[in-house]
Amino acid sequence: MTESDSSIRLFTEWLLEQQPALTDRILTAIWRDGIPTSPLATDPALSTVVRLETEMLVAQFLRGLGKRQQVPIQSHGARHLARLAALHGTPLEDVVSSYRIAHGVIQDFFFQAARESGIGSSCALRVLQFCCLQLLRQTESLIDLVTTEYADETEMIGSDENALRLQAVRSLLDEAGPAPELPGYDLSAEHVAVVAQGPTAATLAAFAHQCKDEAISVFTDRNVVWAWFSGSIGPADLHEAVAERAQRGCLGAGEPGKGLAGFRRSHREAQSAFRVCAWTGRRSARFADIEPEAIGLADVDATRALVRRRLGQLTGGSARHKSLRKTLEIYLASGQNARSAAFKLGLTERTVANRLQAARALLPPDTRLSSLELGLALRLLPLTAGRPHGAPGSVPLPSPVGRQ
């Protein structure tokens, strides 16, 4: 192995170890500066797709660098995202701009790797020259690829029933424009909106089809469905008919809302419920049951500060800390009744009292166990773990911006 080969290996090994952080930087920059108002950034189910495809594309490129692969990869993920962008009306220039943004982020990361990977200053320039040249070739190749895919998808949209229905739904959700009608669906009724991903999405679409005129559904990606139900179909019915039947996947449901305003509001609530599921790993959630978590995810840094301030040392990750938190949660949920809490936990009142005393010792001084903020901090603690459930990075899914 030559000195250059050894340096490339060390360089790419460092990059692959730091890949989650690199993916996060790329997505943060793209969501902020490239496609901030696109559903690919604002919808939690679609942004999860973007995150996973981006992670796979970055990993594929970095592994190719390690093998000194000089032919640009032909990414199926990039094709997928280009078609998704076209389907959701994201301008092609914004898609191209996103790849330029990613190029800049990765190039900056290369220079960081040159300083921190231990390749030595004598080889750093040659390694950077090789990697930056390969990055430029890859970026230009991907831009050509996604431009072609985007054009092909745009041409197909006009003749695809699902794409036309999605355009109508998106027009309804856009509060700025005139509201079109949805043939066969009563917009003046009371609606419950649902967002689903994975096998749950297919189950949701099938159930909506069974409900005929009382439902409308649309595939916003091959494994993501938005749906609305009217009439007598409520959130509890949807949970039983969809979430309990599907083996895997994720579902968020909004609260009932009447008319066009309710159609829009319930959809925003379903997106928020889905966001909580994606972050915490829950299979399904109804917005009414996770409102504090939805608010907490709007500013994760503020949520972490609140949890640290209110729980102090009780935030520890040991089995003992978890047991004390569970006891405190049940105690607060039982109206601060130790006997009731002991019954629910299957413990004696003395054991519950001892655990509460131990928990109090770990809380900040002067904390009152009756504090509303204490109960909120216990509830929001799972949001502070640092990354969306099952996602590669440490940044949250982007919060909705602009009109929904």
Side-chain angles (χ1 to χ4, degrees):
M1 180 181 292
T2 66
E3 181 183 12
S4 179
D5 288 337
S6 177
S7 296
I8 287 286
R9 179 179 58 77
L10 286 173
F11 187 83
T12 54
E13 284 178 354
W14 185 92
L15 288 170
L16 286 166
E17 288 176 359
Q18 300 297 320
Q19 179 194 322
L22 174 57
T23 301
D24 286 343
R25 289 190 194 180
I26 291 169
L27 290 173
T28 298
I30 288 174
W31 282 332
R32 182 188 63 232
D33 302 325
I35 52 171
T37 60
S38 167
L40 276 65
T42 61
D43 181 78
L46 296 177
S47 61
T48 299
V49 173
V50 173
R51 176 183 286 279
L52 294 175
E53 293 287 22
T54 301
E55 189 212 22
M56 289 188 287
L57 176 57
V58 170
Q60 191 177 2
F61 172 65
L62 295 181
R63 287 194 294 268
L65 282 181
K67 299 174 182 177
R68 298 186 71 101
Q69 177 180 313
Q70 301 201 32
V71 178
I73 57 176
Q74 297 295 305
S75 169
H76 293 295
R79 294 177 189 272
H80 177 196
L81 293 181
R83 291 184 175 274
L84 200 58
L87 180 63
H88 287 276
T90 302
L92 178 59
E93 54 266 33
D94 290 351
V95 178
V96 171
S97 175
S98 295
Y99 280 93
R100 302 287 188 204
I101 291 168
H103 179 280
V105 172
I106 295 172
Q107 186 167 269
D108 288 344
F109 218 72
F110 283 169
F111 283 89
Q112 182 181 345
R115 294 191 302 269
E116 300 179 15
S117 63
I119 62 175
S121 57
S122 61
C123 289
L125 181 58
R126 290 195 297 275
V127 170
L128 284 172
Q129 286 176 329
F130 170 76
C131 291
C132 287
L133 177 59
Q134 294 310 111
L135 176 62
L136 178 60
R137 290 174 175 169
Q138 184 65 69
T139 302
E140 295 304 319
S141 174
L142 286 172
I143 287 174
D144 288 342
L145 176 71
V146 301
T147 299
T148 299
E149 292 294 323
Y150 189 99
D152 290 346
E153 181 68 15
T154 300
E155 186 176 342
M156 292 176 57
I157 285 174
S159 59
D160 182 79
E161 181 181 348
N162 180 79
L164 293 173
R165 189 162 60 250
L166 175 59
Q167 286 183 334
V169 165
R170 286 178 49 230
S171 296
L172 281 172
L173 296 175
D174 183 1
E175 299 181 16
E181 294 184 355
L182 289 178
Y185 185 78
D186 183 7
L187 283 172
S188 66
E190 187 172 69
H191 318 280
V192 174
V194 189
V195 173
Q197 185 175 41
T200 304
T203 305
L204 174 63
F207 181 64
H209 181 72
Q210 294 173 10
C211 295
K212 298 182 180 179
D213 292 345
E214 288 191 313
I216 183 171
S217 67
V218 60
F219 279 89
T220 61
D221 186 32
R222 54 198 178 198
N223 289 314
V224 178
V225 168
W226 294 349
W228 288 260
F229 295 82
S230 63
S232 59
I233 304 170
D237 303 305
L238 290 167
H239 179 81
E240 180 179 352
V242 179
E244 291 185 0
R245 290 184 186 178
Q247 296 297 315
R248 292 175 292 114
C250 187
L251 179 145
E255 295 306 301
K258 189 173 179 60
L260 179 56
F263 184 92
R264 292 165 172 164
R265 184 178 63 253
S266 188
H267 179 65
R268 290 194 298 269
E269 292 174 348
Q271 288 180 309
S272 293
F274 183 95
R275 188 182 307 276
V276 172
C277 290
W279 187 271
T280 62
R282 295 176 61 154
R283 284 282 317 283
S284 66
R286 176 179 173 176
F287 181 75
D289 297 329
I290 50 82
E291 285 184 85
E293 288 85 352
I295 295 170
L297 282 183
D299 190 336
V300 178
D301 289 337
T303 298
R304 290 185 178 124
L306 181 148
V307 168
R308 287 195 299 268
R309 186 166 55 249
R310 297 296 177 179
L311 297 185
Q313 298 178 58
L314 195 58
T315 58
S318 70
R320 176 173 178 270
H321 285 95
K322 293 176 182 177
S323 175
L324 294 179
R325 287 199 299 269
K326 182 65 174 178
T327 301
L328 184 53
E329 287 177 20
I330 297 300
Y331 173 74
L332 293 174
S334 302
Q336 301 167 57
N337 185 308
R339 175 176 294 181
S340 176
F343 177 77
K344 292 177 182 178
L345 290 165
L347 302 172
T348 66
E349 285 189 58
R350 179 179 293 276
T351 300
V352 168
N354 289 338
R355 287 188 180 182
L356 291 175
Q357 185 176 0
R360 191 189 298 272
L362 296 172
L363 292 169
D366 302 323
T367 296
R368 294 180 294 107
L369 295 190
S370 60
S371 165
L372 292 175
E373 292 82 1
L374 177 59
L376 179 62
L378 286 167
R379 180 164 179 171
L380 297 182
L381 179 61
L383 303 183
T384 66
R387 66 181 58 191
H389 180 82
S394 57
V395 294
L397 301 174
S399 298
V401 294
R403 292 185 178 92
Q404 295 292 307

